[in-house]
Amino acid sequence: QVQLVESGGGLVQPGGSLTLSCAASGSALSTYHMAWYRQAPGKQRELVARITTGGSTNYADSLKGRFTISRVDAENAVYLRMDNLEPDDTAVYYCKARRGLGANLSYGPEYWGQGTQVTVSS
């Protein structure tokens, strides 16, 4: 029911910053746990960051400190700020939503956006 559209990707130099947006329509995000994933060529889809309905966050250990996930329910949007980007961050970044209860429980279908390309290169 919820539609997700990522935006903000593009070409950035190593060491640069970029902020991705995930805009939702069709349903309010206030009852959804949200997450960012990424998939680089030849690699498995990887969890980047997660944010619960209550605002609790989790990050891939290697990315913690460089990436920040946030949500603004009034805007029906989730954001991913990426700092000090590296070439290995190059990937398609996807936004995911799933109904959540508290900080631990998720249920129902997973909803995915189409992804936005991030390329880190000099």
Side-chain angles (χ1 to χ4, degrees), residues 16-95:
S17 297
L18 207 59
T19 297
L20 307 182
S21 300
C22 174
S25 61
S27 184
L29 290 185
S30 58
T31 60
Y32 289 80
H33 293 329
M34 304 297 298
W36 286 96
Y37 288 78
R38 69 183 185 183
Q39 188 165 21
K43 292 189 175 182
Q44 293 272 21
R45 185 182 61 187
E46 174 188 26
L47 175 66
V48 174
R50 176 179 177 267
I51 185 165
T52 70
T53 55
S56 298
T57 59
N58 296 101
Y59 299 89
D61 287 342
S62 62
L63 302 178
K64 191 173 184 179
R66 293 197 298 121
F67 287 18
T68 303
I69 188 172
S70 62
R71 66 190 299 155
V72 183
D73 287 344
E75 299 176 359
N76 228 28
V78 178
Y79 302 94
L80 181 69
R81 178 181 174 86
M82 304 181 293
D83 295 314
N84 196 23
L85 285 163
E86 304 169 356
D88 284 348
D89 295 321
T90 296
V92 178
Y93 285 72
Y94 298 92
C95 180

